[in-house]
Amino acid sequence: MSDNRNTILAVVLSGLVLLGWQYFINIPQMEKQRAAQQAQQAQQQPQTTSPGTAPSGTPSATPAPGTPSAPGAPSPANPQAAATPTVSREAALAATPRIKVETTQLSGSIALKGARIDDLALTQYRETVDPKSPPIELFSPSGSARPYYAEFGWVGAAGANVKLPDHNTVWTQEGSGALTPANPVTLKWDNGEGLTFRRQIAVDDRYLFTVKDDVTNTGAAPVTLYPFALISRHGTPHVEGYYILHEGLIGYLGEHGLQEYSYSKIDEAKSVGFKATNGWLGITDKYWASALLPDNTAQLQARFSANKAGNVTTYQTDYLEDARTVPIGGTVSANARLFAGAKEARVVGINFPFAGLGGYDRQLGLNHFDLLIDWGWFYFITKPMFLALDFFFHLVGNFGVAILLVTVLIKLIFLPLANKSYASMAKMKAIQPQLLALKERHPDDKVKQQQEMMEIYRKEKINPVAGCLPILLQIPVFFSLYKVLFVTIEMRHAPFFGWIHDLSAADPTNLFNLFGLIPYDPTAIPVLGHYLVLGAWPLVMGFTMWFQMKLNPQPPDPTQQMIFAWMPVIFTFMLAHFPAGLVIYWAWNNLLSVIQQAYIMRRNGVKVELFDNLKSSFSKKKKTA
């Protein structure tokens, strides 16, 4: 059984090595190739595909009876002709009259041409850890290198000849002033044929826009219109490329549940449609997102699509609501909402029994809006891990310290199981002389050795597999902490102490340039550079792991001894690429385990031979030399 335990550990280690190769060698190389291909593509942009209109050459989503098959501005017959040369973002913004957007979290503007929300920057978030670096730009206008915007409007019934506002319509503002949480803005447009369109746009102090569209009919006949909303993104954005993180088109659409389409997946599908009630849909990045949040009772024809024009693909999420008939002398309304900002857990919300966070999910009664943050299949572990970290962060004001406190809390929760495991390991150490004597008595009879060994285990009440328990307990904790550090924006650029300015990034120091004393980047060395990464915290983690292993009884088999001797070295190099917060957790957990295991060994009457084992390790090296 002892041999089996060590074999299992060796298999687990081999699996981790393979995963490390996939994460840090294979995937980055694929990403570099993809980025190189994208860099060669011309920066061109297509026209927006209106809801209900399929990309060129593909069927559209099946419309409801009476719904127009191609509402709004039609797709260009020649997508290549629709592409226009790009200009700088500043020039694109200056090309149209605008209304400023000013909140504590957002800055930007709304284009009066098309009434698009197409210029947003997140003022609380920067591109790098440098507080003077530019803020994160979320939306960009049509005409810039990477257009990304939200648009709202009306679509006429099939065959109807009604003049409606589109992306070329220039609206006028009623009143004046910027859009702020205290000052909604109202836009107006008259089609000159009896229809007057008004749009009131409001914003809260976070990331939610509320859009109310009114249509007044002073004409000679009733008019049937369909409200729509869309989010359009031109060009394939850079993605992290990890399977544990979804980036792309996303939505929770009634009985269809969670729908996630990566950019490559929707490129293949071209267009997918859903009929749903109580849904939302949008586009998500790792930390940022935009999402359409229609009324919970609205009947939606929702769609994800990808439309190729020239060398650039437009990705779009949109929905079409049921028809509204505007009677003569009457007015109809349509309500829409837009989330555009950072995926903060307290803003988006977390659904979890007894300990969730409300956010927009609960405030607006949305359908699983918390899934905008990719908690993964093991959400029942990752969500409580984040909630615990968030609680301690608001208590102490530092996520690094919160990680240390959560580690202590986890140790306390698993204390009975860990104590039992360490007690078994202590007994294993105590019977090592008996096991060695047994092998000397039966050097060639493996069956007899196993029989007498099991008898000793039974007599001493030892479970030889119990030594695996501490490692098995660490696996879900390790994964959940890694997931939280990787996907939550709260960990982005969260500092610890000293040189750690971002717990979600790897330790920036490197042993191979003497921690910055040598002005050279060893990772730039061809072929070997990827492996020449070893920060200070990974070294600390490696030493604590080595100390912990020196507490354990040494395997009698030379091969097993070699595996255990090299395991701390391999883990040290592997974790050098992982987020610093995860490495700090592992080092702190190892230190607590050493203290806990030493205490249990002393309580069981087993001598703690940590320093003796360390001395013997160095003395062996001297003798070998």
Side-chain angles (χ1 to χ4, degrees):
M1 294 297 292
S2 179
D3 291 343
N4 290 339
R5 181 194 69 181
N6 295 324
T7 303
I8 292 171
L9 288 174
V11 171
V12 170
L13 178 60
S14 300
L16 287 173
V17 171
L18 292 175
L19 286 175
W21 175 269
Q22 178 71 6
Y23 271 120
F24 305 120
I25 302 294
N26 200 18
I27 290 178
Q29 288 179 350
M30 293 171 62
E31 284 300 314
K32 288 180 180 179
Q33 293 174 359
R34 184 185 304 174
Q37 293 174 355
Q38 292 176 359
Q40 295 175 357
Q41 295 179 345
Q43 295 297 319
Q44 297 174 316
Q45 64 180 52
Q47 294 279 2
T48 300
T49 306
S50 299
T53 304
S56 178
T58 61
S60 64
T62 304
T67 302
S69 59
S75 296
N78 182 359
Q80 182 65 42
T84 57
T86 61
V87 296
S88 69
R89 192 173 189 275
E90 292 72 19
L93 291 172
T96 58
R98 296 185 165 271
I99 300 173
K100 285 187 177 181
V101 177
E102 297 175 351
T103 76
T104 57
Q105 304 291 327
L106 299 170
S107 68
S109 60
I110 299 172
L112 288 178
K113 183 179 179 180
R116 287 174 172 173
I117 301 174
D118 63 354
D119 171 31
L120 287 180
L122 310 182
T123 56
Q124 302 300 312
Y125 295 96
R126 303 287 162 171
E127 292 182 357
T128 68
V129 293
D130 184 356
K132 296 181 181 179
S133 62
I136 294 296
E137 293 178 353
L138 184 64
F139 281 178
S140 290
S142 181
S144 62
R146 293 285 181 178
Y148 186 13
Y149 52 82
E151 186 176 330
F152 306 86
W154 300 89
V155 166
N161 186 19
V162 182
K163 188 178 180 181
L164 300 174
D166 59 19
H167 60 278
N168 289 317
T169 300
V170 178
W171 296 63
T172 58
Q173 180 181 4
E174 292 186 335
S176 61
L179 174 61
T180 68
N183 183 49
V185 298
T186 301
L187 309 181
K188 178 183 177 181
W189 182 73
D190 192 323
N191 77 344
E193 299 176 356
L195 294 180
T196 301
F197 297 84
R198 279 186 172 84
R199 176 170 300 164
Q200 184 184 72
I201 305 175
V203 65
D204 68 2
D205 58 354
R206 293 176 294 181
Y207 309 112
L208 184 69
F209 292 84
T210 303
V211 180
K212 181 184 179 183
D213 273 314
D214 294 328
V215 183
T216 302
N217 185 5
T218 59
V223 177
T224 299
L225 301 175
Y226 296 79
F228 78 85
L230 63 85
I231 295 173
S232 183
R233 187 174 202 172
H234 299 191
T236 306
H238 171 76
V239 296
E240 296 289 339
Y242 292 92
Y243 74 91
I244 65 168
L245 173 69
H246 171 68
E247 295 173 273
L249 284 63
I250 187 172
Y252 200 98
L253 297 162
E255 62 183 15
H256 298 283
L258 181 65
Q259 298 293 324
E260 294 179 325
Y261 278 75
S262 64
Y263 295 108
S264 58
K265 184 178 178 181
I266 196 62
D267 280 339
E268 295 178 2
K270 303 301 182 185
S271 180
V272 290
F274 309 90
K275 293 182 180 179
T277 305
N278 193 13
W280 56 268
L281 65 163
I283 299 176
T284 180
D285 295 328
K286 180 177 180 179
Y287 295 123
W288 337 106
S290 59
L292 302 170
L293 314 176
D295 286 343
N296 300 345
T297 57
Q299 301 285 332
L300 307 176
Q301 290 189 62
R303 189 185 63 157
F304 297 161
S305 63
N307 181 23
K308 193 82 169 181
N311 291 323
V312 176
T313 304
T314 295
Y315 300 95
Q316 186 167 300
T317 62
D318 55 59
Y319 69 79
L320 196 68
E321 292 189 14
D322 286 344
R324 311 276 206 279
T325 299
V326 192
I328 300 172
T331 300
V332 298
S333 299
N335 297 314
R337 293 169 299 202
L338 169 70
F339 170 89
K343 298 193 296 185
E344 301 170 8
R346 288 181 174 269
V347 174
V348 173
I350 296 181
N351 284 331
F352 199 75
F354 311 113
L357 299 174
Y360 290 139
D361 185 71
R362 189 176 302 168
Q363 175 187 334
L364 303 178
L366 299 175
N367 195 355
H368 293 283
F369 190 56
D370 66 321
L371 296 183
L372 187 65
I373 302 173
D374 189 358
W375 299 107
W377 291 346
F378 299 99
Y379 63 89
F380 50 88
I381 302 176
T382 54
K383 283 185 177 181
M385 172 63 77
F386 172 81
L387 291 170
L389 289 170
D390 187 64
F391 170 79
F392 283 113
F393 168 73
H394 285 87
L395 198 65
V396 300
N398 185 288
F399 268 113
V401 177
I403 289 174
L404 302 183
L405 294 176
V406 168
T407 307
V408 174
L409 178 63
I410 293 170
K411 279 288 185 183
L412 292 174
I413 293 174
F414 291 113
L415 190 62
L417 291 174
N419 284 349
K420 186 175 181 180
S421 173
Y422 289 138
S424 178
M425 292 173 68
K427 292 179 181 179
M428 283 282 292
K429 189 175 182 69
I431 65 169
Q432 284 300 301
Q434 299 181 52
L435 298 179
L436 291 174
L438 186 154
K439 289 191 174 185
E440 291 176 358
R441 288 199 305 271
H442 310 287
D444 300 320
D445 193 344
K446 296 292 184 181
V447 175
K448 189 67 173 178
Q449 287 182 25
Q450 289 291 333
Q451 290 175 347
E452 294 194 16
M453 188 183 301
M454 294 305 297
E455 180 62 25
I456 294 174
Y457 289 158
R458 186 192 63 79
K459 181 179 178 181
E460 299 293 336
K461 297 180 180 180
I462 296 173
N463 182 0
V465 188
C468 297
L469 193 58
I471 295 178
L472 294 177
L473 291 177
Q474 282 194 61
I475 291 175
V477 176
F478 181 89
F479 173 78
S480 62
L481 183 57
Y482 174 69
K483 179 80 170 178
V484 168
L485 285 165
F486 191 74
V487 306
T488 59
I489 193 170
E490 287 78 1
M491 301 297 168
R492 179 183 185 266
H493 296 173
F496 186 45
F497 298 114
W499 62 94
I500 301 297
H501 303 296
D502 186 357
L503 288 166
S504 67
D507 189 324
T509 61
N510 197 337
L511 172 65
F512 296 103
N513 63 4
L514 298 182
F515 306 107
L517 293 177
I518 301 175
Y520 179 71
D521 182 11
T523 61
I525 299 175
V527 182
L528 296 177
H530 176 79
Y531 302 97
L532 300 180
V533 178
L534 191 57
W537 268 107
L539 280 173
V540 173
M541 187 282 303
F543 278 116
T544 57
M545 188 176 185
W546 186 51
F547 290 155
Q548 185 180 12
M549 299 193 74
K550 287 301 177 180
L551 277 175
N552 301 329
Q554 190 175 31
D557 182 66
T559 303
Q560 295 174 5
Q561 290 181 23
M562 183 182 67
I563 292 174
F564 277 82
W566 280 98
M567 190 177 293
V569 178
I570 296 173
F571 269 76
T572 298
F573 276 90
M574 284 181 56
L575 266 69
H577 296 270
F578 277 69
L582 198 64
V583 179
I584 292 170
Y585 152 76
W586 195 291
W588 176 237
N589 182 76
N590 287 345
L591 181 60
L592 295 177
S593 298
V594 168
I595 297 172
Q596 181 182 6
Q597 187 174 350
Y599 170 76
I600 293 173
M601 291 175 68
R602 291 178 66 90
R603 194 177 66 178
N604 282 270
V606 178
K607 181 182 178 182
V608 178
E609 299 178 344
L610 172 61
F611 294 105
D612 293 337
N613 290 339
L614 293 176
K615 289 179 181 178
S616 64
S617 297
F618 287 109
S619 63
K620 285 180 182 178
K621 291 180 181 179
K622 289 181 180 179
K623 289 178 182 179
T624 304

